[in-house]
């Protein structure tokens, strides 16, 4: 017995040695390491053939809001959407006095080293590093298990005692402390340990709170759970795009970190799992550089979508819940199961699928030869249950779209009651999925005016290509319905504000919010036109009069043929891009996704709000690509009429160039999920959302990485000058 105890203690103490391994043992290639900084957040990424991990250190800066920006160490793994976090406080109780940072190894020079211990069915994997405290600290809130649990705490202060009570604390009496937690699957254990590595440093346990003296500590963070197979940058990109690996190393490494053999992940760290909408928008924008064919990133994304379709009605899954949190929710429902759970509450996600399938299986030269190989596959299934073919599921999705859109497309059916609305009991349903993102609206602008017709047109294209042989009328049915949705929905969302009223509203908006910038009301020379975010908003608003950037969906996805409507639509988009905030949408920090200057209530649309007066990287990307798409139609043999209207054509080109100017000015943050701004010295400067809000932004977001493929068309840089015959960009007649 004595020898067994000695061996156990020796094994336990070995866990405190840093690092466990100094290389990716057994891997044929070198590990990937890179660091992305968006102060007060520093993000460290490590991956090898065994696992991938992201480590985020947050430490307050001078000027930080100290109730929001507190010292924290957070580690997230794509496998199981898993994570742990340690929230620290200064022992002296003075907010802002504690600074934490990682210290590079004096041996390897690296901030992180891998943990890899083959054992049982799944090896123990993780990362090891050194963390420094400038003053004595205490670990008050440790969370181990799921990214979903971490999000619940960081965004809403939610902690479930059923989870937290399973934490186990160990003080070894030599300055080393361990916190671990057995998962609800009774197989996985996640562990976080600290041991002193500088003279005088020591950790101890006091009533489930870990106390540290000032100094440096080795931390080890690990768990035993099935890992994912990561796609390397060379596997994610087409051969012709491999030059991006050297030209844009951080972006291509980030894209690789989010790309796996069986799915694409939405963002690091908060969304390290499948999100349907995010995957599809990303693939559509990345289509020119994304690898295709067997084992490719494009195919991994397509198969992940088909695999998760609801077999009962064809709904495309919005989000998956996996790992420890799935087991927990199953347990709450009285089930002993580790099976993933899927969220189908969104009303926009379904419409993207046929658009993506048409892009891959019809437009992509590699994908068009993969139709049978992919669509003849069947879903994974439980014991005793037959799988369903992906072809059948794609057909089920198309059928749902046709049924959903049929009432509005019917004769005399073009009434508000037949538009697509959020599901009963849900406050969200499309990409603006925060509680205030639609201003309380129930009938979203983007879904009705862009996504529904785009999905229908794609179904018609697929039907023409023989994808639905049992439904010979679908091509004509879908095409006719698409035209009606394309032409007859915009009018419901039109907002027109007389010039004098608009000037008064922006003046009131600036003064009531005590903004330090001018209202720019003098730039309003005529009535202001835009399309509202949604219908049936809060406070009995028939239209939620929030100027917004969701025009990008229609520009990117449609080729409208109602000439008068198209000319007016591209014209108002250009006006609102060229107009400075708060009159329009553009700031030095980027194009805002919302401008509430013209509405009765601005609550939920501030610069600290997730869908407020903030900038989202992917909307910049889609708007840029959408405007380029519409301008490209001017080179067709039968161009749209707006191309012949010199004042509108020049204005759209100017808007395209203005947009790209602010995109290029914010290159450093383009890969972020979103960012907000501060106004200083007469300009809007980008800052992390997490500086102002407990809902922080991901440093790498799949759909924000689309700037790898979306590039400025230099041909438009001086084209307005040429067309107008006058010098200087942004010339408007």
């Amino acid at each position: 017995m004595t020898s067994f105890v000695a061996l156990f203690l020796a094994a336990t103490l070995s866990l405190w040695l840093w690092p466990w391994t100094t290389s990716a043992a057994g891997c044929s290639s070198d590990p990937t390491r890179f660091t992305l900084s968006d102060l007060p957040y520093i993000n460290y990424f490590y991956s090898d053939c065994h696992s991938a991990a992201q480590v985020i250190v947050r430490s307050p800066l001078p000027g930080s809001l100290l109730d929001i920006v507190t010292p924290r160490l957070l580690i997230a793994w794509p496998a199981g959407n898993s994570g742990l976090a340690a929230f620290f406080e200064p022992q002296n109780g003075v907010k802002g006095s504690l600074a934490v940072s990682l210290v590079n190894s004096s041996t390897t020079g690296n901030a992180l080293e891998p943990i890899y211990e083959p054992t049982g069915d799944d090896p123990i994997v993780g990362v090891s590093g050194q963390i420094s405290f400038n003053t004595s600290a205490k670990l008050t809130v440790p969370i181990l298990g799921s990214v979903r649990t971490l999000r619940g705490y960081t965004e809403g202060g939610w902690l479930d005692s059923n989870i937290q009570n399973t934490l186990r604390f160990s003080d070894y009496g030599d300055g080393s402390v361990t916190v671990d937690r057995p998962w609800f699957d009774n197989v996985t254990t996640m562990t976080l340990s600290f041991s002193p590595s500088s003279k005088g440093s020591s950790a101890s346990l006091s009533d489930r709170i870990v106390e540290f003296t000032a100094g440096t500590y080795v931390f080890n963070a690990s768990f035993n759970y099935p890992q994912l197979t990561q796609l390397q940058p060379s596997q994610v990109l087409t051969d012709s795009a491999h030059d991006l690996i050297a030209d844009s190393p951080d972006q291509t490494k980030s894209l690789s970190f989010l790309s796996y053999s069986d799915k694409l992940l939405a963002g690091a760290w908060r969304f390290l799992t499948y999100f349907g909408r995010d995957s599809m928008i990303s693939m559509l924008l990345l289509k020119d550089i994304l690898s295709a064919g067997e084992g490719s990133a494009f195919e991994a994304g397509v198969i992940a979508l088909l695999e998760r379709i609801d077999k009962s009605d064809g709904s495309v899954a919005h989000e998956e819940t996996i790992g420890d949190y799935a087991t927990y929710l199953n347990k709450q429902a009285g089930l002993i199961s580790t099976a993933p759970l899927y969220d189908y509450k969104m009303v926009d996600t379904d419409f993207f699928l046929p658009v993506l399938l048409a892009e891959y299986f019809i437009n992509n030269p590699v994908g068009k030869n993969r139709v049978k190989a992919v669509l003849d596959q069947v879903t994974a299934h439980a014991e005793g249950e037959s799988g369903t073919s992906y072809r059948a599921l794609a057909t089920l999705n198309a059928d749902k779209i046709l049924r959903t859109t049929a009432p509005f497309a019917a004769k005399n059916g073009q009434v508000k009651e037949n538009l697509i609305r959020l599901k009963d009991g849900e406050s969200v349903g499309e990409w603006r999925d925060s509680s205030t993102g639609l201003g309380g609206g129930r009938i979203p602008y983007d879904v009705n005016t862009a996504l529904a017709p785009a999905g229908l047109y794609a179904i018609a294209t697929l039907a023409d290509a023989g994808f639905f042989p049992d439904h010979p009328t679908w091509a004509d049915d879908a095409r006719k319905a698409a035209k009606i949705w394309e032409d007859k929905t915009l009018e419901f969302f039109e907002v027109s504000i007389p010039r004098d009223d608009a000037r008064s509203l922006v003046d009131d908006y600036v003064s009531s919010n005590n903004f330090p910038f001018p209202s720019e009301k003098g730039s309003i020379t005529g009535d202001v036109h835009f399309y509202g975010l949604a219908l049936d908003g809060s406070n009995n608003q028939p239209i939620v009069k929030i100027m917004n950037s969701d025009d990008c969906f229609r520009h990117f996805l449609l080729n409208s043929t109602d000439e008068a409507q198209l000319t007016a639509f591209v014209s108002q988009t250009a006006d609102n891009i060229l107009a400075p905030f708060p009159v329009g949408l553009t700031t030095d920090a980027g194009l805002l996704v919302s401008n509430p200057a013209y509405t009765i209530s601005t609550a939920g649309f501030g610069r600290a709000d997730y869908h407020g007066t903030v900038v989202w990287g992917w909307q910049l990307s889609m708007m840029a690509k959408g405007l380029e798409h519409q301008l490209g139609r001017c080179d067709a043999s039968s161009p749209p009429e707006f191309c012949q209207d010199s004042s509108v054509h020049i204005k759209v080109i100017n808007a395209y160039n203005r947009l790209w100017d602010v995109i290029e000015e914010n290159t450093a943050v383009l890969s972020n999920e979103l960012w907000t701004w501060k106004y200083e010295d007469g300009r809007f400067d980008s800052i992390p959302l997490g500086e102002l809000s407990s809902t922080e932004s991901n440093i790498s977001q799949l759909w924000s990485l689309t700037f790898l493929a979306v590039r400025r068309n230099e041909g438009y840089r001086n084209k307005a000058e040429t067309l107008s015959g006058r010098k200087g960009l942004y010339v408007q007649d």
Side-chain angles (χ1 to χ4, degrees):
M1 182 64 72
T2 302
S3 61
F4 172 79
V5 172
L7 287 171
F8 173 78
L9 290 175
T12 302
L13 289 171
S14 74
L15 305 188
W16 299 333
L17 299 178
W18 181 75
W20 291 12
T21 62
T22 56
S23 63
C27 295
S28 59
S29 58
D30 292 335
T32 298
R33 293 182 171 90
F34 63 106
T35 303
L36 300 176
S37 181
D38 193 21
L39 295 176
Y41 302 88
I42 302 179
N43 295 258
Y44 302 85
F45 293 84
Y46 178 89
S47 58
D48 57 32
C49 69
H50 301 302
S51 66
Q54 177 187 7
V55 176
I56 309 101
V57 176
R58 181 179 70 188
S59 195
L61 300 172
S64 291
L65 299 178
L66 299 179
D67 287 334
I68 294 175
V69 183
T70 58
R72 185 192 74 190
L73 171 69
L74 190 149
I75 302 168
W77 291 275
N81 195 24
S82 310
L84 62 80
F87 293 83
F88 303 104
E89 295 179 6
Q91 288 194 32
N92 61 21
V94 179
K95 293 181 179 180
S97 62
L98 174 62
V100 298
S101 61
L102 294 197
V103 178
N104 289 345
S105 165
S106 59
T107 303
T108 68
N110 299 320
L112 298 176
E113 296 294 348
I115 293 173
Y116 178 69
E117 289 288 312
T119 177
D121 293 333
D122 296 301
I124 297 172
V125 299
V127 287
S128 181
Q130 294 188 80
I131 187 169
S132 173
F133 302 101
N134 70 320
T135 188
S136 56
K138 53 185 178 180
L139 167 54
T140 55
V141 180
I143 305 173
L144 283 74
S146 170
V147 166
R148 285 292 300 271
T149 308
L150 300 182
R151 280 171 50 193
Y153 181 72
T154 60
E155 296 172 14
W158 173 81
L159 280 177
D160 193 309
S161 60
N162 293 315
I163 298 175
Q164 290 301 100
N165 288 344
T166 61
L167 291 172
R168 303 181 300 198
F169 295 79
S170 300
D171 185 336
Y172 295 94
D174 62 352
S176 301
V177 173
T178 295
V179 184
D180 71 5
R181 181 178 160 262
W183 281 14
F184 293 110
D185 62 9
N186 296 318
V187 174
T188 307
T189 298
M190 185 173 281
T191 302
L192 174 64
S193 67
F194 296 92
S195 58
S197 59
S198 64
K199 185 177 180 181
S201 58
S202 180
S204 59
L205 187 62
S206 176
D207 192 25
R208 293 171 67 89
I209 292 177
V210 182
E211 297 180 341
F212 302 87
T213 61
T216 304
Y217 297 79
V218 170
F219 69 87
N220 289 316
S222 63
F223 70 140
N224 58 310
Y225 187 80
Q227 299 295 299
L228 304 175
T229 301
Q230 185 179 2
L231 300 179
Q232 296 305 304
S234 60
Q235 297 172 297
V236 175
L237 302 171
T238 61
D239 291 344
S240 61
H242 278 189
D243 59 328
L244 292 171
I245 297 172
D247 295 343
S248 304
D250 288 345
Q251 288 78 16
T252 51
K253 289 175 183 176
S254 294
L255 183 59
S256 168
F257 186 81
L258 297 173
S259 302
Y260 295 84
S261 62
D262 62 347
K263 59 184 170 182
L264 306 179
L265 312 183
W269 62 272
R270 292 167 48 251
F271 303 122
L272 278 175
T273 188
Y274 159 98
F275 278 78
R277 177 201 308 120
D278 301 55
S279 297
M280 289 185 279
I281 289 176
S282 302
M283 286 187 280
L284 289 169
L285 288 167
L286 286 167
K287 63 184 180 181
D288 293 335
I289 67 168
L290 203 63
S291 63
E294 185 175 8
S296 68
F298 213 136
E299 207 152 290
V302 169
I303 290 174
L305 290 155
L306 295 169
E307 178 69 30
R308 292 162 175 79
I309 289 176
D310 187 336
K311 299 176 183 62
S312 67
D313 71 351
S315 297
V316 178
H318 163 58
E319 178 184 4
E320 70 174 357
T321 300
I322 53 175
D324 185 56
Y325 201 67
T327 313
Y328 171 70
L329 292 182
N330 284 325
K331 183 179 180 182
Q332 297 295 100
L335 302 173
I336 306 300
S337 173
T338 60
L341 303 170
Y342 299 108
D343 172 2
Y344 297 100
K345 68 173 172 284
M346 297 295 167
V347 298
D348 65 339
T349 309
D350 296 337
F351 297 103
F352 285 108
L353 183 63
V355 177
L356 184 73
L357 296 183
E359 181 59 45
Y360 186 60
F361 291 124
I362 294 176
N363 298 336
N364 189 291
V366 177
K368 68 191 307 180
N369 294 316
R370 294 284 299 162
V371 175
K372 181 174 176 57
V374 174
L375 296 186
D376 283 357
Q377 294 183 46
V378 298
T379 57
H381 52 277
E383 184 177 350
E385 179 184 316
S386 298
T388 305
S389 76
Y390 293 156
R391 187 182 301 274
L393 291 170
T395 303
L396 197 60
N397 167 255
D399 181 63
K400 180 187 178 184
I401 291 173
L402 286 164
R403 286 185 289 103
T404 301
T405 56
F408 187 85
K411 185 178 180 180
N412 300 322
Q414 294 77 53
V415 295
K416 186 183 78 170
E417 290 72 21
N418 289 335
L419 291 172
I420 296 161
R421 59 179 57 241
L422 305 188
K423 294 182 179 180
D424 292 343
E426 299 289 352
S427 61
V428 299
E430 43 84 86
W431 86 270
R432 296 175 184 266
D433 54 358
S434 58
S435 59
T436 59
L438 285 177
R442 305 296 302 170
I443 303 173
Y445 165 57
D446 58 336
V447 178
N448 286 280
T449 65
L451 303 185
L456 287 164
Y457 277 126
I459 290 170
T461 300
L462 291 166
D464 284 337
F467 276 69
F468 311 115
D470 295 334
H471 302 279
T473 68
W474 274 12
D476 287 341
D477 294 345
R479 191 170 287 108
K480 290 175 182 176
K483 178 65 173 165
I484 294 171
W485 277 86
E486 178 182 73
D487 291 348
K488 300 300 182 182
T489 50
L490 272 181
E491 60 195 64
F492 290 94
F493 298 87
E494 287 180 9
V495 175
S496 182
I497 301 176
R499 185 195 67 175
D500 292 345
D501 291 346
R503 287 179 170 180
S504 177
L505 285 167
V506 295
D507 247 357
D508 290 346
Y509 173 64
V510 171
S511 61
S512 63
N513 286 280
N514 296 313
F515 287 135
F517 48 79
S519 71
E520 304 285 357
K521 70 177 181 180
S523 66
I524 303 176
T525 58
D527 296 351
V528 172
H529 301 281
F530 59 91
Y531 293 87
L533 266 186
L535 306 182
D536 292 353
S538 56
N539 300 314
N540 297 314
Q541 300 175 80
I543 303 178
V544 179
K545 295 181 180 180
I546 303 290
M547 185 183 287
N548 63 86
S549 56
D550 285 356
D551 292 358
C552 66
F553 287 105
R554 197 167 165 101
H555 291 308
F556 180 62
L557 293 171
L558 297 178
N559 292 311
S560 298
T561 55
D562 182 322
E563 297 290 3
Q565 187 180 76
L566 174 61
T567 298
F569 186 71
V570 298
S571 181
Q572 63 83 35
T573 297
D575 284 336
N576 298 331
I577 291 174
L578 290 168
F581 176 70
V583 171
L585 293 170
T586 301
T587 71
D588 308 300
L591 189 74
L592 303 179
V593 300
S594 303
N595 175 3
Y598 303 103
T599 190
I600 59 174
S601 174
T602 63
F605 290 97
R607 66 189 183 108
D609 294 305
Y610 198 51
H611 296 104
T613 50
V614 296
V615 184
W616 282 69
W618 77 268
Q619 282 244 320
L620 295 178
S621 180
M622 185 179 282
M623 183 66 84
K625 197 65 178 177
L627 290 180
E628 183 181 5
H629 171 67
Q630 296 301 326
L631 287 169
R633 297 174 66 192
C634 296
D635 297 326
S637 57
S638 299
E641 287 181 3
F642 85 84
C643 305
Q644 315 306 316
D645 185 331
S646 61
S647 64
V648 175
H649 191 193
I650 290 167
K651 184 165 59 176
V652 176
I653 293 173
N654 287 338
Y656 177 82
N657 284 315
R658 175 65 177 134
L659 176 62
W660 268 108
D661 286 350
V662 296
I663 288 171
E664 291 171 353
E665 192 173 345
N666 291 279
T667 300
V669 295
L670 289 182
S671 298
N672 289 22
E673 179 189 8
L674 73 151
W675 56 94
T676 188
W677 48 269
K678 62 180 178 180
Y679 187 81
E680 287 184 348
D681 301 324
R683 62 173 284 113
F684 295 84
D685 292 321
S686 60
I687 60 172
L689 181 68
E691 273 280 292
L692 305 177
S693 169
S694 60
T695 301
E696 62 199 68
S697 168
N698 291 327
I699 190 69
S700 290
Q701 192 80 358
L702 184 65
W703 56 17
S704 297
L705 293 166
T706 54
F707 280 106
L708 284 165
V710 178
R711 300 299 177 95
R712 186 174 194 155
N713 185 327
E714 295 293 339
Y716 293 119
R717 191 183 288 271
N718 296 314
K719 194 166 185 178
E721 213 175 83
T722 302
L723 290 172
S724 67
R726 296 157 61 187
K727 293 292 185 183
L729 291 175
Y730 317 132
V731 176
Q732 295 186 60
D733 291 340

